Amino acid sequence: QNRKFTASELVSENKNEKITTSAPTTSTYQPTPADLDWLQEVETIALREIKNKDYTLEDLAKELLISYSSFRQKIKLISGLPPNRYIRSIRLHHAKYILETREINTLKEIAFEIGFEGLTHFSKLFETEFGKHPQEFLNKRSSIS
């Protein structure tokens, strides 16, 4: 699946506290290339299962052949975020990509496409992540067309 973000970009953003709902990280851990490859695998699976509401973090850990406890620790160490927030960040970055590439034309469809049932919740999280309401991306897109 095509997307315009990588594991290292998400790690960099998260370590720089672009997501403001968590306590500042004090970790000075520098991810290794193997860590970033592992995160890329996490992202590939997360994007594959993006609409599957029954797919849990425990399922993801099992698919990665790692205990849930180790999975939580590894995601937190590498990204600076708890697993649920890291996966949410992947989903929101995918939504931004969809908005930028004009694959889908309504916010409701985009929210559903990335696994959110409620537009309000999606919009609030998107704005927290990127500092702009998703409607601003749609408006910008339509003014360019």
Side-chain angles (χ1 to χ4, degrees), residues 48-66:
R48 184 191 73 214
E49 299 294 337
I50 205 162
K51 288 187 195 178
N52 183 353
K53 298 199 183 337
D54 296 326
Y55 195 84
T56 65
L57 291 173
E58 290 85 356
D59 295 330
L60 180 54
K62 283 179 193 171
E63 190 166 341
L64 293 166
L65 305 175
I66 189 171

Side-chain angles (χ1 to χ4, degrees), residues 13-14 18-22 81 84-96 99 107 110-111 114-135 137:
E13 285 182 13
N14 294 333
K18 285 214 172 217
I19 297 176
T20 58
T21 56
S22 70
L81 293 174
N84 61 335
R85 295 245 336 273
Y86 187 72
I87 299 302
R88 182 174 69 204
S89 183
I90 292 169
R91 293 165 67 199
L92 292 169
H93 275 80
H94 188 63
K96 183 180 176 199
L99 281 163
L107 292 183
I110 293 169
I114 65 161
F116 284 91
E117 291 180 10
L119 179 56
T120 303
H121 184 62
F122 161 70
S123 295
K124 179 181 174 188
L125 292 174
F126 188 96
E127 189 167 6
T128 299
E129 182 90 6
F130 300 111
K132 290 184 179 178
H133 191 279
Q135 186 64 48
F137 283 85

